[in-house]
Amino acid sequence: SQSAGVPTGAVIESGSNANGEYTKFADGTLINYRELSLYASADSTWTFPVAFIANDYSLHGVCLDGIDRIITGGAAVDTVTSCTIRGWIIAVTPSRTSVNARLSAIGRWF
């Protein structure tokens, strides 16, 4: 429902598709999330299940394979519909690695 054109309530919509799951909130917040395999040989691209209104979302990643790895994102090619992700081994000389990750991106849908 709406009040003076503004959505009321907490969760407006949630669902899933081949690109992951999402939750839309009444205040305009959108959370996209999924598990994705990242590869050392190349960047991985995550196409979001629902597009953001702007590419100022924040990306969060949790490694599912071990505590000595980190997930990074945010490249010049990131858009409202997708982003580039990499896995790294934390060491004296960090290096890219293959890793399974749980990702979330938080931004706005309106």
Side-chain angles (χ1 to χ4, degrees):
S1 65
Q2 294 184 356
S3 175
V6 177
T8 59
V11 174
I12 297 296
E13 180 183 343
S14 63
S16 64
N17 59 38
N19 297 322
E21 299 176 65
Y22 67 93
T23 304
K24 291 180 177 180
F25 293 88
D27 68 356
T29 302
L30 169 62
I31 303 174
N32 286 309
Y33 45 100
R34 79 167 296 173
E35 290 184 11
L36 187 67
S37 295
L38 310 177
Y39 302 99
S41 59
D43 290 347
S44 296
T45 299
W46 176 21
T47 300
F48 302 126
V50 173
F52 292 101
I53 196 162
N55 67 347
D56 59 354
Y57 50 83
S58 62
L59 177 69
H60 310 271
V62 176
C63 174
L64 300 175
D65 297 330
I67 60 172
D68 64 340
R69 292 168 174 83
I70 62 172
I71 311 302
T72 64
V77 296
D78 290 349
T79 70
V80 297
T81 58
S82 68
C83 67
T84 303
I85 318 253
R86 296 176 183 145
W88 292 88
I89 293 177
I90 302 170
V92 174
T93 305
S95 61
R96 291 179 61 158
T97 186
S98 295
V99 63
N100 293 306
R102 180 173 294 124
L103 306 169
S104 63
I106 303 171
R108 302 204 46 89
W109 64 276
F110 77 81

XYZ file of all heavy atoms in Angstrom:
818
model
N 0.825 -1.192 0.000
C 0.000 0.000 0.000
C 0.866 1.253 0.000
O 2.073 1.163 0.189
C -0.917 0.000 1.215
O -0.172 0.097 2.406
N 0.224 2.409 -0.210
C 0.932 3.686 -0.235
C 0.179 4.713 0.593
O -1.026 4.619 0.781
C 1.069 4.227 -1.657
C 1.938 3.394 -2.557
C 2.096 4.044 -3.924
O 1.502 5.067 -4.220
N 2.911 3.428 -4.763
N 0.925 5.705 1.049
C 0.353 6.851 1.724
C 0.939 8.095 1.075
O 2.153 8.311 1.142
C 0.684 6.816 3.219
O 0.236 7.992 3.858
N 0.108 8.884 0.407
C 0.558 10.080 -0.319
C 1.645 9.732 -1.335
O 2.616 10.462 -1.508
C 1.034 11.156 0.651
N 1.510 8.579 -1.988
C 2.464 8.178 -3.017
C 3.737 7.541 -2.499
O 4.630 7.189 -3.259
N 3.864 7.365 -1.171
C 5.056 6.766 -0.569
C 4.696 5.363 -0.088
O 3.695 5.181 0.610
C 5.560 7.622 0.618
C 6.755 6.966 1.286
C 5.903 9.026 0.147
N 5.506 4.345 -0.457
C 5.210 2.990 -0.007
C 5.211 2.894 1.513
O 6.007 3.535 2.191
C 6.355 2.156 -0.598
C 6.872 2.958 -1.725
C 6.674 4.393 -1.330
N 4.297 2.100 2.049
C 4.256 1.841 3.482
C 4.576 0.386 3.735
O 4.484 -0.451 2.844
C 2.863 2.168 4.054
O 1.906 1.360 3.385
C 2.521 3.631 3.870
N 4.945 0.055 4.935
C 5.314 -1.308 5.270
C 6.812 -1.495 5.159
O 7.542 -0.575 4.816
N 7.296 -2.674 5.477
C 8.734 -2.926 5.505
C 9.227 -3.526 4.188
O 9.862 -2.855 3.405
C 9.075 -3.838 6.672
N 8.914 -4.792 3.928
C 9.347 -5.451 2.704
C 8.271 -5.269 1.646
O 7.108 -5.604 1.854
C 9.617 -6.951 2.935
C 9.926 -7.657 1.627
C 10.751 -7.142 3.932
N 8.654 -4.698 0.522
C 7.721 -4.492 -0.587
C 7.684 -5.719 -1.495
O 6.646 -6.142 -1.950
C 8.124 -3.244 -1.418
C 8.031 -1.997 -0.557
C 7.279 -3.115 -2.668
C 6.644 -1.670 -0.072
N 8.876 -6.305 -1.738
C 8.956 -7.435 -2.662
C 10.232 -8.210 -2.378
O 11.266 -7.624 -2.053
C 8.983 -6.901 -4.092
C 9.071 -7.952 -5.170
C 9.156 -7.347 -6.572
O 8.831 -6.157 -6.749
O 9.564 -8.076 -7.471
N 10.158 -9.511 -2.524
C 11.364 -10.342 -2.478
C 11.174 -11.477 -3.465
O 10.047 -11.844 -3.799
C 11.625 -10.881 -1.068
O 10.588 -11.726 -0.659
N 12.289 -11.994 -3.951
C 12.203 -13.068 -4.927
C 13.567 -13.540 -5.354
O 14.589 -13.171 -4.753
N 13.604 -14.318 -6.416
C 14.864 -14.849 -6.923
C 14.730 -15.118 -8.412
O 13.632 -15.230 -8.951
C 15.250 -16.133 -6.184
O 14.296 -17.141 -6.423
N 15.898 -15.197 -9.060
C 15.984 -15.615 -10.453
C 17.349 -16.252 -10.648
O 18.052 -16.518 -9.668
C 15.706 -14.443 -11.420
C 16.656 -13.286 -11.249
O 17.854 -13.473 -10.999
N 16.144 -12.067 -11.380
N 17.759 -16.492 -11.877
C 19.032 -17.171 -12.144
C 20.238 -16.385 -11.640
O 21.321 -16.951 -11.459
C 19.169 -17.425 -13.641
N 20.082 -15.075 -11.377
C 21.203 -14.231 -10.943
C 21.284 -14.051 -9.438
O 22.166 -13.340 -8.951
C 21.106 -12.858 -11.607
C 21.225 -12.983 -13.103
O 22.005 -13.784 -13.608
N 20.439 -12.210 -13.821
N 20.376 -14.649 -8.686
C 20.427 -14.544 -7.235
C 19.079 -14.224 -6.631
O 18.033 -14.425 -7.253
N 19.129 -13.688 -5.420
C 17.919 -13.331 -4.691
C 17.941 -11.844 -4.396
O 19.001 -11.210 -4.434
C 17.849 -14.126 -3.392
C 17.805 -15.627 -3.629
C 17.843 -16.411 -2.339
O 16.880 -16.297 -1.563
O 18.840 -17.113 -2.110
N 16.782 -11.288 -4.050
C 16.703 -9.865 -3.768
C 15.580 -9.578 -2.781
O 14.642 -10.368 -2.633
C 16.466 -9.058 -5.052
C 15.107 -9.307 -5.665
C 14.018 -8.497 -5.351
C 14.912 -10.367 -6.546
C 12.769 -8.741 -5.909
C 13.670 -10.611 -7.100
C 12.603 -9.798 -6.777
O 11.370 -10.039 -7.315
N 15.705 -8.440 -2.108
C 14.655 -7.927 -1.237
C 14.565 -6.424 -1.448
O 15.578 -5.725 -1.374
C 14.944 -8.228 0.251
O 15.123 -9.633 0.421
C 13.803 -7.755 1.136
N 13.366 -5.942 -1.734
C 13.094 -4.515 -1.865
C 12.354 -4.054 -0.611
O 11.386 -4.699 -0.188
C 12.206 -4.219 -3.073
C 12.864 -4.436 -4.411
C 11.864 -4.100 -5.515
C 12.469 -4.228 -6.891
N 11.477 -3.888 -7.935
N 12.787 -2.935 -0.039
C 12.157 -2.381 1.151
C 11.406 -1.105 0.807
O 11.715 -0.423 -0.170
C 13.222 -2.091 2.221
C 13.866 -3.341 2.761
C 14.986 -3.872 2.137
C 13.349 -3.982 3.870
C 15.593 -5.025 2.618
C 13.946 -5.140 4.359
C 15.059 -5.662 3.734
N 10.428 -0.771 1.642
C 9.572 0.386 1.408
C 10.348 1.696 1.361
O 9.955 2.624 0.668
C 8.489 0.471 2.484
N 11.471 1.786 2.070
C 12.235 3.036 2.085
C 13.129 3.205 0.856
O 13.875 4.167 0.746
C 13.069 3.148 3.356
C 14.195 2.124 3.432
O 14.304 1.245 2.531
O 14.986 2.194 4.389
N 13.071 2.245 -0.091
C 13.865 2.320 -1.312
C 15.120 1.468 -1.296
O 15.806 1.343 -2.303
N 15.433 0.864 -0.160
C 16.615 0.002 -0.057
C 16.396 -1.279 -0.855
O 15.318 -1.875 -0.807
C 16.908 -0.359 1.413
O 17.108 0.839 2.154
C 18.135 -1.251 1.541
N 17.427 -1.690 -1.579
C 17.428 -2.944 -2.330
C 18.654 -3.739 -1.928
O 19.773 -3.210 -1.915
C 17.474 -2.674 -3.842
C 17.751 -3.871 -4.757
C 16.663 -4.931 -4.638
C 17.901 -3.414 -6.202
N 18.455 -5.000 -1.579
C 19.569 -5.907 -1.292
C 19.499 -7.049 -2.286
O 18.499 -7.769 -2.362
C 19.519 -6.459 0.139
C 19.495 -5.318 1.153
C 20.710 -7.394 0.383
C 19.297 -5.778 2.583
N 20.572 -7.203 -3.076
C 20.748 -8.344 -3.975
C 21.770 -9.260 -3.320
O 22.753 -8.784 -2.737
C 21.289 -7.895 -5.331
C 20.238 -7.206 -6.175
O 19.158 -7.734 -6.358
N 20.556 -6.034 -6.691
N 21.594 -10.573 -3.428
C 22.570 -11.490 -2.850
C 22.573 -12.819 -3.591
O 21.598 -13.184 -4.237
C 22.331 -11.686 -1.347
C 20.896 -11.901 -0.940
C 20.410 -13.169 -0.679
C 20.018 -10.832 -0.810
C 19.099 -13.374 -0.302
C 18.696 -11.028 -0.436
C 18.252 -12.299 -0.179
O 16.943 -12.497 0.188
N 23.739 -13.493 -3.507
C 23.901 -14.809 -4.125
C 25.240 -15.409 -3.756
O 26.116 -14.717 -3.249
C 23.765 -14.730 -5.634
C 25.018 -14.214 -6.343
C 25.028 -14.420 -7.815
N 25.032 -15.824 -8.156
C 24.917 -16.292 -9.384
N 24.804 -15.460 -10.389
N 24.930 -17.570 -9.635
N 25.404 -16.687 -4.043
C 26.703 -17.347 -3.947
C 27.253 -17.454 -5.353
O 26.513 -17.711 -6.303
C 26.577 -18.709 -3.273
C 26.253 -18.588 -1.807
C 26.212 -19.912 -1.072
O 26.645 -20.954 -1.633
O 25.766 -19.904 0.086
N 28.582 -17.237 -5.480
C 29.209 -17.205 -6.799
C 30.626 -17.749 -6.689
O 31.324 -17.471 -5.713
C 29.246 -15.759 -7.309
C 29.720 -15.525 -8.737
C 28.719 -16.104 -9.731
C 29.873 -14.029 -8.988
N 31.050 -18.514 -7.676
C 32.437 -18.984 -7.751
C 33.270 -17.931 -8.471
O 32.907 -17.487 -9.556
C 32.518 -20.314 -8.494
O 31.848 -21.320 -7.771
N 34.378 -17.533 -7.845
C 35.310 -16.569 -8.431
C 36.554 -17.328 -8.853
O 36.936 -18.308 -8.211
C 35.671 -15.504 -7.398
C 34.509 -14.842 -6.662
C 35.020 -13.860 -5.631
C 33.568 -14.171 -7.638
N 37.221 -16.866 -9.919
C 38.356 -17.586 -10.473
C 39.604 -16.716 -10.488
O 39.536 -15.519 -10.768
C 38.028 -18.090 -11.885
C 36.810 -18.979 -11.869
C 35.551 -18.491 -12.217
C 36.918 -20.304 -11.458
C 34.433 -19.307 -12.157
C 35.801 -21.124 -11.393
C 34.562 -20.624 -11.749
O 33.455 -21.429 -11.678
N 40.753 -17.331 -10.224
C 42.023 -16.605 -10.201
C 42.414 -16.116 -11.584
O 43.085 -15.099 -11.723
C 43.120 -17.496 -9.627
N 41.990 -16.808 -12.610
C 42.439 -16.508 -13.973
C 41.748 -15.303 -14.607
O 42.241 -14.777 -15.601
C 42.219 -17.732 -14.858
O 40.847 -18.082 -14.874
N 40.616 -14.882 -14.067
C 39.882 -13.773 -14.690
C 38.910 -13.168 -13.690
O 38.516 -13.810 -12.713
C 39.113 -14.271 -15.910
N 38.515 -11.922 -13.943
C 37.473 -11.295 -13.139
C 36.167 -12.056 -13.327
O 35.919 -12.641 -14.381
C 37.242 -9.847 -13.579
C 38.401 -8.934 -13.211
O 39.258 -9.348 -12.408
O 38.438 -7.815 -13.720
N 35.341 -12.058 -12.295
C 34.005 -12.626 -12.394
C 33.007 -11.481 -12.435
O 33.215 -10.447 -11.799
C 33.708 -13.512 -11.176
O 34.584 -14.616 -11.148
N 31.949 -11.652 -13.188
C 30.911 -10.641 -13.271
C 29.645 -11.174 -12.621
O 29.223 -12.291 -12.906
C 30.619 -10.261 -14.732
O 31.807 -9.727 -15.307
C 29.517 -9.223 -14.817
N 29.072 -10.365 -11.752
C 27.791 -10.697 -11.146
C 26.726 -9.803 -11.770
O 26.764 -8.590 -11.621
C 27.838 -10.502 -9.642
C 26.525 -10.734 -8.935
C 25.458 -11.450 -9.389
C 26.155 -10.245 -7.648
N 24.440 -11.440 -8.452
C 24.845 -10.706 -7.377
C 26.801 -9.470 -6.701
C 24.181 -10.407 -6.197
C 26.133 -9.174 -5.529
C 24.839 -9.642 -5.281
N 25.811 -10.393 -12.495
C 24.647 -9.677 -12.993
C 23.587 -9.770 -11.904
O 23.213 -10.871 -11.496
C 24.133 -10.293 -14.305
O 25.171 -10.222 -15.286
C 22.903 -9.557 -14.813
N 23.134 -8.625 -11.416
C 22.211 -8.597 -10.293
C 20.843 -9.151 -10.674
O 20.394 -8.989 -11.811
C 22.045 -7.162 -9.781
C 23.324 -6.524 -9.344
C 23.711 -5.307 -9.870
C 24.146 -7.119 -8.410
C 24.886 -4.700 -9.475
C 25.329 -6.526 -8.003
C 25.699 -5.314 -8.539
N 20.134 -9.752 -9.716
C 18.787 -10.222 -9.994
C 17.810 -9.068 -10.250
O 16.846 -9.222 -10.994
C 18.394 -11.009 -8.746
C 19.359 -10.625 -7.693
C 20.590 -10.136 -8.381
N 18.064 -7.904 -9.643
C 17.262 -6.699 -9.860
C 18.232 -5.524 -9.998
O 19.192 -5.409 -9.234
C 16.292 -6.441 -8.688
C 15.579 -5.104 -8.833
C 15.280 -7.568 -8.564
N 17.994 -4.657 -10.958
C 18.873 -3.505 -11.186
C 18.703 -2.450 -10.095
O 17.610 -2.259 -9.562
C 18.577 -2.876 -12.545
N 19.795 -1.783 -9.775
C 19.767 -0.632 -8.874
C 19.398 0.609 -9.682
O 19.537 0.650 -10.902
C 21.131 -0.426 -8.220
C 21.494 -1.522 -7.245
C 22.368 -2.540 -7.603
C 20.962 -1.528 -5.973
C 22.692 -3.543 -6.714
C 21.280 -2.532 -5.061
C 22.149 -3.538 -5.436
N 18.992 1.671 -8.998
C 18.666 2.915 -9.681
C 19.932 3.704 -10.021
O 19.948 4.506 -10.945
C 17.668 3.763 -8.867
C 17.059 4.836 -9.756
C 18.316 4.351 -7.642
C 15.791 5.440 -9.212
N 21.022 3.478 -9.279
C 22.311 4.142 -9.523
C 23.421 3.169 -9.147
O 23.194 2.216 -8.394
C 22.423 5.420 -8.697
N 24.630 3.397 -9.654
C 25.719 2.461 -9.351
C 26.518 2.887 -8.115
O 27.711 2.633 -8.025
C 26.619 2.228 -10.564
C 27.402 3.447 -10.962
O 27.115 4.551 -10.501
N 28.394 3.269 -11.806
N 25.847 3.473 -7.129
C 26.509 3.833 -5.880
C 26.214 2.822 -4.762
O 26.272 3.141 -3.592
C 26.109 5.243 -5.445
C 24.619 5.402 -5.246
O 23.859 4.458 -5.557
O 24.198 6.473 -4.772
N 25.902 1.589 -5.140
C 25.653 0.521 -4.183
C 26.955 0.100 -3.499
O 28.046 0.356 -3.992
C 25.010 -0.682 -4.878
C 25.737 -1.123 -6.126
C 26.837 -1.957 -6.052
C 25.323 -0.683 -7.381
C 27.501 -2.353 -7.196
C 25.981 -1.073 -8.518
C 27.074 -1.904 -8.426
O 27.739 -2.289 -9.552
N 26.820 -0.575 -2.360
C 27.995 -1.128 -1.689
C 27.989 -2.636 -1.863
O 26.943 -3.281 -1.837
C 28.018 -0.756 -0.206
O 26.890 -1.285 0.447
N 29.175 -3.197 -2.074
C 29.337 -4.621 -2.313
C 30.016 -5.255 -1.110
O 30.983 -4.706 -0.577
C 30.192 -4.845 -3.566
C 30.512 -6.286 -3.910
C 29.251 -7.020 -4.352
C 31.570 -6.356 -4.988
N 29.503 -6.418 -0.697
C 30.064 -7.139 0.435
C 30.252 -8.585 0.021
O 29.394 -9.154 -0.639
C 29.124 -7.067 1.637
C 28.694 -5.677 1.942
N 29.398 -4.861 2.773
C 27.649 -4.953 1.482
C 28.799 -3.679 2.830
N 27.741 -3.719 2.046
N 31.371 -9.176 0.427
C 31.628 -10.568 0.087
C 32.218 -11.324 1.253
O 33.048 -10.794 1.986
N 31.764 -12.548 1.422
C 32.273 -13.428 2.462
C 32.787 -14.684 1.783
O 32.079 -15.310 0.989
C 31.165 -13.796 3.468
C 31.677 -14.789 4.485
C 30.620 -12.558 4.144
N 34.022 -15.044 2.095
C 34.623 -16.249 1.533
C 34.028 -17.478 2.209
O 33.934 -17.535 3.433
C 36.131 -16.208 1.741
S 36.946 -17.709 1.241
N 33.638 -18.457 1.421
C 33.090 -19.698 1.959
C 34.142 -20.798 2.058
O 33.859 -21.876 2.548
C 31.927 -20.171 1.077
C 30.763 -19.196 0.960
C 29.727 -19.729 -0.026
C 30.139 -18.925 2.304
N 35.385 -20.521 1.587
C 36.421 -21.553 1.500
C 37.524 -21.456 2.545
O 38.340 -22.346 2.641
C 37.077 -21.517 0.117
C 36.098 -21.833 -0.981
O 35.145 -22.596 -0.730
O 36.258 -21.305 -2.084
N 37.632 -20.394 3.266
C 38.715 -20.253 4.235
C 38.855 -18.822 4.703
O 38.441 -17.893 4.022
N 39.449 -18.646 5.879
C 39.522 -17.311 6.465
C 40.675 -16.475 5.926
O 40.778 -15.303 6.226
C 39.622 -17.396 7.996
C 40.871 -18.183 8.403
C 38.369 -18.001 8.588
C 41.158 -18.159 9.882
N 41.568 -17.059 5.112
C 42.717 -16.313 4.604
C 42.468 -15.700 3.228
O 43.377 -15.344 2.526
C 43.953 -17.214 4.546
C 43.787 -18.371 3.564
O 42.629 -18.691 3.224
O 44.797 -18.930 3.144
N 41.201 -15.559 2.868
C 40.874 -14.992 1.560
C 39.933 -13.809 1.729
O 39.143 -13.767 2.661
C 40.219 -16.051 0.677
C 41.206 -17.144 0.300
C 40.487 -18.332 -0.316
N 41.404 -19.309 -0.807
C 41.985 -20.240 -0.064
N 41.765 -20.285 1.225
N 42.807 -21.112 -0.603
N 40.038 -12.856 0.818
C 39.135 -11.716 0.835
C 38.471 -11.575 -0.531
O 38.987 -12.065 -1.530
C 39.849 -10.396 1.222
C 40.947 -10.051 0.201
C 40.395 -10.463 2.620
C 41.555 -8.681 0.409
N 37.358 -10.889 -0.549
C 36.611 -10.654 -1.776
C 36.643 -9.155 -2.041
O 36.399 -8.356 -1.137
C 35.142 -11.100 -1.620
C 35.033 -12.506 -1.021
C 34.393 -10.972 -2.931
C 35.723 -13.588 -1.781
N 36.968 -8.753 -3.269
C 36.955 -7.333 -3.612
C 36.068 -7.103 -4.822
O 35.835 -8.008 -5.611
C 38.368 -6.794 -3.920
O 38.876 -7.461 -5.083
C 39.310 -6.992 -2.762
N 35.591 -5.909 -4.946
C 34.766 -5.536 -6.083
C 34.937 -4.062 -6.354
O 35.653 -3.368 -5.649
N 34.270 -3.609 -7.373
C 34.304 -2.189 -7.674
C 35.329 -1.850 -8.735
O 36.456 -1.502 -8.428
N 34.958 -1.973 -9.954
C 35.824 -1.616 -11.072
C 35.135 -0.511 -11.866
O 33.961 -0.216 -11.664
C 36.065 -2.835 -11.966
N 35.858 0.099 -12.757
C 35.315 1.204 -13.554
C 34.131 0.771 -14.408
O 33.338 1.601 -14.811
C 36.411 1.792 -14.432
N 33.995 -0.522 -14.657
C 32.914 -1.009 -15.518
C 31.649 -1.382 -14.740
O 30.696 -1.838 -15.324
C 33.382 -2.221 -16.353
C 34.474 -1.815 -17.306
C 33.819 -3.358 -15.454
N 31.632 -1.189 -13.418
C 30.448 -1.530 -12.644
C 29.267 -0.667 -13.081
O 29.406 0.520 -13.325
C 30.707 -1.352 -11.154
C 31.677 -2.401 -10.617
O 31.967 -3.365 -11.338
O 32.127 -2.243 -9.484
N 28.107 -1.296 -13.188
C 26.904 -0.611 -13.673
C 25.757 -0.856 -12.701
O 25.920 -1.548 -11.691
C 26.513 -1.127 -15.068
O 26.029 -2.473 -14.938
C 27.673 -1.070 -16.044
N 24.583 -0.364 -13.026
C 23.406 -0.602 -12.186
C 22.919 -2.045 -12.289
O 22.155 -2.501 -11.451
C 22.259 0.377 -12.504
C 22.672 1.800 -12.217
C 21.772 0.221 -13.928
N 23.378 -2.782 -13.307
C 22.925 -4.156 -13.506
C 23.974 -5.223 -13.201
O 23.632 -6.404 -13.116
C 22.443 -4.363 -14.955
O 23.508 -4.058 -15.856
C 21.237 -3.492 -15.258
N 25.254 -4.833 -13.022
C 26.293 -5.842 -12.760
C 27.534 -5.206 -12.148
O 27.721 -3.990 -12.196
C 26.683 -6.565 -14.052
O 27.345 -5.682 -14.930
N 28.387 -6.071 -11.583
C 29.666 -5.601 -11.045
C 30.730 -6.681 -11.233
O 30.420 -7.844 -11.474
C 29.549 -5.208 -9.578
S 29.222 -6.586 -8.480
N 31.980 -6.270 -11.130
C 33.126 -7.154 -11.281
C 33.660 -7.520 -9.899
O 33.797 -6.665 -9.041
C 34.229 -6.456 -12.097
O 33.671 -6.071 -13.353
C 35.411 -7.369 -12.323
N 34.003 -8.799 -9.711
C 34.416 -9.306 -8.411
C 35.720 -10.088 -8.564
O 35.927 -10.766 -9.571
C 33.364 -10.274 -7.837
C 31.998 -9.746 -8.060
C 33.701 -10.642 -6.414
C 31.236 -9.216 -6.972
N 36.574 -10.035 -7.524
C 37.815 -10.810 -7.489
C 38.006 -11.427 -6.111
O 37.606 -10.848 -5.119
C 39.019 -9.905 -7.755
C 39.038 -9.296 -9.117
C 40.205 -8.350 -9.255
N 40.155 -7.724 -10.566
C 40.513 -6.491 -10.807
N 40.953 -5.724 -9.830
N 40.439 -6.003 -12.026
N 38.654 -12.587 -6.062
C 39.058 -13.201 -4.801
C 40.557 -13.058 -4.633
O 41.310 -13.148 -5.602
N 41.018 -12.805 -3.402
C 42.436 -12.616 -3.102
C 42.843 -13.465 -1.912
O 42.088 -13.617 -0.953
C 42.731 -11.157 -2.758
C 42.589 -10.228 -3.904
C 41.459 -9.589 -4.317
C 43.614 -9.825 -4.807
N 41.709 -8.813 -5.415
C 43.035 -8.936 -5.738
C 44.970 -10.119 -4.919
C 43.753 -8.342 -6.762
C 45.695 -9.529 -5.936
C 45.086 -8.660 -6.845
N 44.078 -13.994 -1.958
C 44.691 -14.630 -0.793
C 45.430 -13.537 -0.036
O 46.182 -12.762 -0.628
C 45.675 -15.740 -1.205
C 44.926 -16.893 -1.856
C 46.482 -16.214 0.001
C 45.824 -18.000 -2.362
N 45.213 -13.471 1.264
C 45.912 -12.492 2.094
C 47.271 -13.079 2.448
O 47.367 -14.140 3.047
C 45.120 -12.198 3.374
C 43.726 -11.695 3.022
C 45.853 -11.184 4.240
C 42.801 -11.613 4.199
N 48.334 -12.398 2.061
C 49.692 -12.865 2.320
C 50.632 -11.672 2.217
O 50.199 -10.559 1.921
C 50.074 -13.935 1.303
N 51.934 -11.916 2.439
C 52.924 -10.844 2.302
C 52.828 -10.260 0.901
O 52.857 -9.046 0.712
C 54.343 -11.378 2.590
C 55.378 -10.310 2.308
C 54.430 -11.857 4.025
N 52.705 -11.133 -0.089
C 52.462 -10.703 -1.455
C 51.094 -11.251 -1.853
O 50.978 -12.422 -2.223
C 53.549 -11.237 -2.406
O 54.814 -10.841 -1.925
C 53.340 -10.731 -3.815
N 50.035 -10.436 -1.748
C 48.700 -10.935 -2.081
C 48.632 -11.418 -3.525
O 49.313 -10.901 -4.405
C 47.806 -9.706 -1.891
C 48.586 -8.799 -0.998
C 50.026 -9.040 -1.337
N 47.809 -12.427 -3.754
C 47.617 -12.939 -5.106
C 46.153 -13.306 -5.300
O 45.443 -13.595 -4.343
C 48.509 -14.151 -5.351
O 48.184 -15.186 -4.437
N 45.746 -13.272 -6.556
C 44.369 -13.657 -6.871
C 44.192 -15.147 -6.676
O 45.116 -15.928 -6.857
C 44.038 -13.249 -8.296
C 43.964 -11.735 -8.423
C 43.671 -11.302 -9.794
N 42.371 -11.823 -10.228
C 41.671 -11.283 -11.202
N 42.118 -10.231 -11.838
N 40.524 -11.793 -11.565
N 42.973 -15.539 -6.330
C 42.694 -16.933 -6.073
C 41.282 -17.286 -6.507
O 40.430 -16.408 -6.636
C 42.860 -17.250 -4.565
O 42.713 -18.654 -4.362
C 41.828 -16.508 -3.720
N 41.069 -18.554 -6.742
C 39.707 -19.035 -6.964
C 39.059 -19.236 -5.603
O 39.702 -19.707 -4.666
C 39.726 -20.358 -7.722
O 40.258 -20.166 -9.014
N 37.808 -18.846 -5.486
C 37.131 -18.925 -4.196
C 35.625 -18.940 -4.420
O 35.124 -18.394 -5.405
C 37.545 -17.718 -3.295
C 37.114 -16.412 -3.912
C 37.013 -17.863 -1.896
N 34.925 -19.596 -3.535
C 33.472 -19.530 -3.516
C 33.075 -18.448 -2.526
O 33.584 -18.406 -1.406
C 32.866 -20.878 -3.117
C 33.120 -21.921 -4.174
O 32.793 -21.726 -5.335
N 33.727 -23.017 -3.785
N 32.166 -17.574 -2.924
C 31.832 -16.417 -2.099
C 30.327 -16.250 -1.961
O 29.566 -16.615 -2.846
C 32.419 -15.159 -2.718
N 29.930 -15.707 -0.836
C 28.553 -15.246 -0.633
C 28.592 -13.736 -0.756
O 29.315 -13.056 -0.026
C 28.040 -15.656 0.736
C 26.601 -15.198 0.987
C 26.035 -15.740 2.276
N 25.901 -17.183 2.192
C 26.462 -18.047 3.060
N 27.187 -17.611 4.059
N 26.283 -19.336 2.912
N 27.864 -13.193 -1.724
C 27.919 -11.774 -2.051
C 26.597 -11.085 -1.737
O 25.533 -11.683 -1.855
C 28.210 -11.597 -3.542
C 29.436 -12.315 -4.085
C 29.430 -12.274 -5.596
C 30.694 -11.686 -3.519
N 26.704 -9.820 -1.367
C 25.515 -8.983 -1.265
C 25.872 -7.594 -1.771
O 27.007 -7.141 -1.631
C 24.979 -8.916 0.166
O 25.923 -8.329 1.034
N 24.914 -6.952 -2.391
C 25.068 -5.581 -2.862
C 23.857 -4.814 -2.342
O 22.711 -5.248 -2.498
C 25.140 -5.528 -4.381
N 24.127 -3.677 -1.703
C 23.067 -2.889 -1.075
C 23.038 -1.504 -1.695
O 24.071 -0.830 -1.762
C 23.303 -2.779 0.446
C 23.377 -4.184 1.062
C 22.185 -1.961 1.095
C 23.821 -4.201 2.495
N 21.875 -1.123 -2.153
C 21.697 0.189 -2.773
C 20.228 0.549 -2.768
O 19.495 0.175 -1.863
N 19.785 1.242 -3.817
C 18.412 1.725 -3.894
C 17.709 1.243 -5.151
O 18.326 1.123 -6.200
C 18.411 3.246 -3.853
C 19.083 3.758 -2.596
C 18.671 5.115 -2.160
N 17.250 5.406 -2.151
C 16.427 5.191 -1.118
N 16.882 4.628 -0.032
N 15.174 5.526 -1.199
N 16.406 0.971 -5.026
C 15.610 0.596 -6.197
C 14.729 1.739 -6.665
O 14.203 1.701 -7.764
C 14.779 -0.659 -5.927
C 13.724 -0.579 -4.867
C 13.897 -0.746 -3.525
C 12.335 -0.330 -5.057
N 12.702 -0.617 -2.865
C 11.708 -0.362 -3.788
C 11.538 -0.080 -6.173
C 10.355 -0.160 -3.606
C 10.175 0.111 -5.992
C 9.592 0.070 -4.718
N 14.555 2.789 -5.855
C 13.904 4.033 -6.299
C 14.517 5.189 -5.591
O 15.240 5.062 -4.642
C 12.379 4.017 -6.113
C 11.895 4.228 -4.699
C 11.808 5.502 -4.168
C 11.523 3.146 -3.909
C 11.359 5.695 -2.864
C 11.074 3.339 -2.620
C 10.999 4.605 -2.088
